[in-house]
Amino acid sequence: MTKNQLIIASELARLGIKFQYDGQNLLTFQEWKKRGFYVRRGEKAFLQVPLWTSCERTVTKDGKEEKQFYFILKKASLFTPSQVERLIEKGA
């Protein structure tokens, strides 16, 4: 289990929410979109929790530019499978 999955599972337990979380069924809007789904209009996040996200910045050292990667905690809105529908491809 990743750190973010542990954060989600512990937050569900802390709030006393009875949800069968398996690590793949509680995702952000963007994660659902990558998997070919969209969040239905008017749906509210099932859970909001701070999750680790990677960032990058370009720094100059000794006249050379290089990328630095780091992590920050950012509030994420998570949605369940019952809140999404599969995207229909155009022309299908």
Side-chain angles (χ1 to χ4, degrees):
M1 220 177 214
T2 67
K3 287 185 182 188
N4 281 341
Q5 290 172 333
L6 288 172
I7 291 170
I8 293 168
S10 63
E11 187 68 7
L12 288 168
R14 185 184 74 78
L15 295 172
I17 299 173
K18 302 290 187 223
F19 181 77
Q20 293 292 79
Y21 178 62
D22 66 7
Q24 300 295 314
N25 61 348
L26 201 52
L27 304 172
T28 64
F29 177 88
Q30 287 299 322
E31 289 169 330
W32 280 117
K33 188 175 176 183
K34 286 179 193 173
R35 295 171 188 224
F37 292 84
Y38 70 94
V39 177
R40 285 192 298 268
R41 177 178 229 106
E43 290 287 349
K44 304 293 183 207
F46 179 77
L47 181 68
Q48 288 188 323
V49 63
L51 297 178
W52 290 105
T53 185
S54 63
C55 299
E56 72 176 65
R57 64 178 156 221
T58 304
V59 295
T60 304
K61 282 189 178 178
D62 302 325
K64 294 181 182 177
E65 286 188 356
E66 65 180 50
K67 291 182 181 180
Q68 285 185 339
F69 296 92
Y70 59 100
F71 289 88
I72 61 170
L73 277 173
K74 187 174 180 183
K75 185 166 81 171
S77 298
L78 304 174
F79 299 88
T80 67
S82 65
Q83 295 177 289
V84 299
E85 290 183 17
R86 178 153 304 276
L87 284 169
I88 300 172
E89 292 183 26
K90 293 181 180 177

